[in-house]
């Protein structure tokens, strides 16, 4: 087989077949691009670990150090880490990412997916340097802000890159490589924190923050080596280059049907002068509503509260420092393994079944955790025996596993594959923005919520899981194995509710007839 890999053919609208092979260049490009997830995951995992280390707290957050080390037992079990400055250290990254994603939308569309990933790599490297060398809280926050800019650019470009370069038959699995790398990054951070916490001299936290340079360099080098997507090249008027790349990544010369469809999608995209304004049009309402809802719901599962603050949370429940970091490593490992399950299943059983099954599992595990903590962990007493402690860790792992094969990867996959080309960059920008906004809200509020809600925090999140499961049941369509440029015809126009928003008479800003515009033929542009 030319180019190597397995053969596959995908059906486009109107019965057209797009021949594609799973070529080595596609696999390598996707793996290298997905290292953006590795950096994101490391940032998520490392913050919770270092904020539980006494030397780090003593240097940057002496008030928390006093409550957790010097005056142990005087404060409520649930309130000893309640500190706005400590929460700002974690959440500032996401506030910066929220702002950066609007600039990333422009670079993704005008400069390409590849260059946007390269910019993200440079931001990451700068942030790592500031954090590892931090002498005061201001320097620490500047580093987190730079890392946040990297997150904004990477989360904007990488999911779109993965969705566009992958053959439709395995698009879900390759896109989830991003989320798999997020989970590997979290696990790597947990392992590093567990090791650096044992370093004598109190400088282990610097090593934890500095080792983020490894995934930062991997993303930067990867962005230099990968090719840009055919969609992006064609969108920017580089037709012949786009055609050559399409031939290369599909491993076949029979690319004309797919190429013509990309050219037509690009023509429609070029007619849209204001992509953000175009998102508000009626025909784009299903995609934008689902994308925004998925991001809000993803954060209100409570997953990031657990991932950011896993060691802090386990400390609150009575685990000793080493035990809390060790428990965080266990949950991190479960996170990675369960994401692999998603890669295997997402293109076989589909997106909806994974989301619905996980809803039941997350709801029940959080409900039981709340009951155990309500009975056993009081404000100033901890009756959590070893058996109950192990059971809590098992329940947390049950929750994490269900999230990792559902809401984690699919919250990114579904938006990246459903927007039409003319609004894809703008749509992904809104998706990332909403995700980072609510990530910031949860990161900034969780420790205070834990202090006030106590065990009820898990009841709060389980209630949201119930709501989001009903949303999926009635309003989220199945998108597995649908070519990315055929979503309107084969998904939105077929859905019982969303089809009312799709107007056959308009595409983008122009009136069309039967998919043509005044007799326009995409082949005429070649």
């Amino acid at each position: 087989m030319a180019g190597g890999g397995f053969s596959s053919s995908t059906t486009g609208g109107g019965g057209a077949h797009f021949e594609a092979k799973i070529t080595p260049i596609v696999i390598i490009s996707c793996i290298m691009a997905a290292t953006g997830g590795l950096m994101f995951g490391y940032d998520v995992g490392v913050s919770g670990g270092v904020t539980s280390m006494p030397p780090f707290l003593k240097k940057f957050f002496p008030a928390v150090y006093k409550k957790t080390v010097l005056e142990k037992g005087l404060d409520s079990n649930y309130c000893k880490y309640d500190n706005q400055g400590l929460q700002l250290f974690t959440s500032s990254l996401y506030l910066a990412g929220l702002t950066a994603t609007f600039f990333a939308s422009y670079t993704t569309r005008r400069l390409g997916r590849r260059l946007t990933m390269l910019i993200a790599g440079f931001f990451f490297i700068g942030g790592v340097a500031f954090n590892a060398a931090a002498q005061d809280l201001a320097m620490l926050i500047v580093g987190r802000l730079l890392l946040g800019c990297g997150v904004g650019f990477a989360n904007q470009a990488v999911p779109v890159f993965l969705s566009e370069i992958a053959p439709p038959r395995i698009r879900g699995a390759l896109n989830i490589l991003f989320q798999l790398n997020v989970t590997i990054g979290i696990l790597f951070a947990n392992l590093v924190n567990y090791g650096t916490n044992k370093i004598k001299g109190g400088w282990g936290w610097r090593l934890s923050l500095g080792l983020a340079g490894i995934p930062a360099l991997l993303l930067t080098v990867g962005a230099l080596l990968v090719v840009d997507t055919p969609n992006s090249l064609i969108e920017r008027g580089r037709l012949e280059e786009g055609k050559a790349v399409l031939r290369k990544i599909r491993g076949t010369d029979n690319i004309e049907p797919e190429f013509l469809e990309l050219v037509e999608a690009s023509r429609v995209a070029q007619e849209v002068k204001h992509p953000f304004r175009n998102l508000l049009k009626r025909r784009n309402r299903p995609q934008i509503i689902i994308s925004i809802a998925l991001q809000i719901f993803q954060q209100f599962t409570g997953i990031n509260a657990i991932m950011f603050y896993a060691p802090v949370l386990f400390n609150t429940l009575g685990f000793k420092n080493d035990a809390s970091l060790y428990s965080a490593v266990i949950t991190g490992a479960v996170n990675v393994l369960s994401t692999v399950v998603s890669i295997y299943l997402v293109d076989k059983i589909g997106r909806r079944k994974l989301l619905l099954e996980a809803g039941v599992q997350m709801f029940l595990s959080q409900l039981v955790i709340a009951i155990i903590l309500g009975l056993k962990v009081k404000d100033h007493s901890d009756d959590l025996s070893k058996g109950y402690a192990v059971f809590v860790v098992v329940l947390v792992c049950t929750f994490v596993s269900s999230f990792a094969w559902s809401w984690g990867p699919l919250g990114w996959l579904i938006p990246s594959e459903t927007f039409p080309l003319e609004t894809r960059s703008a749509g992904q920008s809104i998706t990332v923005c909403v995700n980072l906004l609510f990530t910031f809200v949860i990161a900034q509020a969780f420790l205070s919520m834990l202090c006030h809600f106590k065990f009820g925090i898990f009841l709060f999140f389980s209630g949201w899981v119930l709501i989001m499961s009903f949303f999926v049941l009635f309003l989220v369509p199945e998108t597995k194995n649908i070519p990315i440029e055929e979503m309107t015809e084969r998904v939105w126009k077929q859905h019982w509710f969303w089809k009312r928003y799709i107007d056959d008479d308009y595409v983008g800003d122009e009136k069309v007839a039967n998919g043509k515009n005044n007799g326009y033929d995409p082949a005429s542009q070649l």
Side-chain angles (χ1 to χ4, degrees):
M1 299 178 190
F6 303 99
S7 291
S8 73
S9 64
T10 55
T11 305
H17 289 275
F18 299 155
E19 185 179 341
K21 296 174 182 176
I22 305 171
T23 57
I25 189 171
V26 168
I27 301 298
I28 292 169
S29 294
C30 288
I31 290 173
M32 299 190 81
T35 55
L38 192 67
M39 185 69 217
F40 185 25
Y42 191 89
D43 285 334
V44 169
V46 78
S47 59
V50 296
T51 52
S52 71
M53 295 181 185
F56 179 84
L57 293 175
K58 185 177 181 180
K59 183 173 181 63
F60 297 106
F61 305 99
V64 179
Y65 176 76
K66 185 178 179 182
K67 283 196 294 184
T68 57
V69 179
L70 301 182
E71 299 177 353
K72 191 174 292 187
L74 294 181
D75 206 352
S76 165
N77 284 326
Y78 291 100
C79 296
K80 52 191 176 182
Y81 288 95
D82 182 17
N83 180 276
Q84 289 300 309
L86 185 62
Q87 291 175 130
L88 183 63
F89 164 70
T90 299
S91 64
S92 57
L93 181 149
Y94 305 97
L95 192 60
L98 188 158
T99 305
T101 189
F102 290 105
F103 297 98
S105 174
Y106 176 83
T107 61
T108 302
R109 187 171 188 184
R110 298 296 183 186
L111 305 179
R113 288 54 160 155
R114 175 177 169 271
L115 188 57
T116 303
M117 290 189 290
L118 185 62
I119 294 170
F122 288 139
F123 273 123
F124 280 137
I125 291 171
V128 170
F130 267 88
N131 271 354
Q135 297 300 317
D136 52 37
L137 184 58
M139 197 171 176
L140 201 65
I141 297 298
V142 168
R144 293 290 287 180
L145 292 174
L146 288 173
L147 290 174
C149 291
V151 166
F153 277 82
N155 284 16
Q156 167 74 19
V158 173
V160 172
F161 177 92
L162 294 172
S163 286
E164 289 182 344
I165 206 167
R169 186 170 66 87
I170 60 164
R171 184 178 64 242
L174 289 182
N175 194 288
I176 291 174
L177 280 174
F178 178 75
Q179 181 66 21
L180 177 63
N181 273 275
V182 171
T183 63
I184 291 172
I186 293 171
L187 176 59
F188 180 41
N190 289 335
L191 288 168
V192 167
N193 287 334
Y194 184 70
T196 58
N197 188 51
K198 299 179 180 297
I199 294 176
K200 304 297 182 183
W203 57 272
W205 62 269
R206 290 193 186 276
L207 185 57
S208 288
L209 296 176
L211 285 177
I214 295 175
L217 285 172
L218 286 175
L219 175 63
T220 306
V221 172
L224 289 170
L225 297 178
V226 299
V227 295
D228 217 335
T229 68
N231 312 59
S232 177
L233 291 167
I234 293 169
E235 185 181 23
R236 289 178 284 145
R238 295 155 65 176
L239 299 184
E240 288 305 317
E241 191 177 346
K243 191 172 188 178
V245 170
L246 185 64
R247 184 179 294 111
K248 194 174 182 181
I249 65 174
R250 295 295 182 247
T252 176
D253 289 328
N254 185 25
I255 55 152
E256 204 67 20
E258 184 174 5
F259 178 65
L260 292 178
E261 182 168 286
L262 291 177
V263 172
E264 168 65 4
S266 176
R267 180 195 64 78
V268 172
Q270 295 300 324
E271 291 172 353
V272 178
K273 305 303 180 187
H274 305 286
F276 281 99
R277 190 186 306 166
N278 189 261
L279 277 175
L280 301 177
K281 289 184 178 295
R282 182 179 173 86
R283 69 185 320 275
N284 290 320
R285 210 164 292 167
Q287 300 96 313
I288 194 66
I289 290 175
I290 285 178
S291 295
I292 289 174
L294 288 179
Q295 303 316 304
I296 296 172
F297 289 150
Q298 186 192 70
Q299 296 313 307
F300 278 91
T301 60
I303 186 64
N304 275 336
I306 289 175
M307 286 302 167
F308 292 153
Y309 299 115
V312 169
L313 181 63
F314 288 126
N315 266 336
T316 296
L317 303 183
F319 290 62
K320 293 182 179 178
N321 203 36
D322 274 357
S324 67
L325 289 170
Y326 183 65
S327 299
V329 169
I330 293 173
T331 57
V334 169
N335 200 12
V336 173
L337 294 174
S338 300
T339 305
V340 174
V341 172
S342 185
I343 290 176
Y344 178 75
L345 292 177
V346 67
D347 290 315
K348 289 182 170 61
I349 69 173
R351 285 67 161 148
R352 277 171 48 85
K353 288 181 181 178
L354 285 174
L355 290 171
L356 291 171
E357 184 282 331
V360 175
Q361 191 170 323
M362 288 191 292
F363 176 78
L364 293 176
S365 57
Q366 287 186 316
L367 186 63
V368 178
I369 290 172
I371 293 170
I372 292 174
L373 298 188
L375 295 174
K376 296 294 181 179
V377 180
K378 309 301 181 185
D379 273 352
H380 298 283
S381 65
D382 175 19
D383 191 28
L384 201 63
S385 65
K386 184 176 180 180
Y388 276 114
V390 170
F391 189 38
V392 167
V393 172
V394 170
L395 288 170
V396 169
C397 289
T398 302
F399 167 77
V400 168
S401 66
S402 56
F403 177 87
W405 64 54
S406 62
W407 284 92
L410 302 184
W412 294 111
L413 170 61
I414 293 172
S416 74
E417 66 184 1
T418 52
F419 282 103
L421 184 62
E422 66 265 20
T423 57
R424 191 168 300 150
S425 290
Q428 184 67 8
S429 182
I430 296 296
T431 298
V432 174
C433 177
V434 173
N435 185 281
L436 293 176
L437 174 62
F438 282 88
T439 303
F440 167 76
V441 169
I442 293 296
Q444 186 64 29
F446 176 71
L447 294 178
S448 298
M449 291 170 69
L450 182 63
C451 178
H452 291 91
F453 287 11
K454 301 179 173 56
F455 66 89
I457 190 72
F458 290 98
L459 295 176
F460 173 80
F461 287 130
S462 65
W464 276 101
V465 169
L466 194 61
I467 293 169
M468 64 184 72
S469 296
F470 279 107
F471 179 85
V472 171
L473 182 63
F474 292 109
L475 294 176
V476 176
E478 183 54 70
T479 55
K480 72 168 183 174
N481 299 333
I482 306 294
I484 196 168
E485 305 300 349
E486 296 291 336
M487 290 292 173
T488 298
E489 292 294 328
R490 298 176 57 183
V491 174
W492 305 115
K493 286 186 178 181
Q494 309 302 320
H495 192 269
W496 73 273
F497 181 78
W498 298 121
K499 64 183 180 182
R500 70 190 68 184
Y501 292 97
I502 306 301
D503 185 350
D504 283 325
D505 295 331
Y506 289 88
V507 176
D509 293 327
E510 295 293 323
K511 190 169 183 178
V512 298
N514 299 322
K516 300 289 182 183
N517 184 35
N518 300 323
Y520 174 84
D521 181 356
S524 67
Q525 298 296 304
L526 307 182

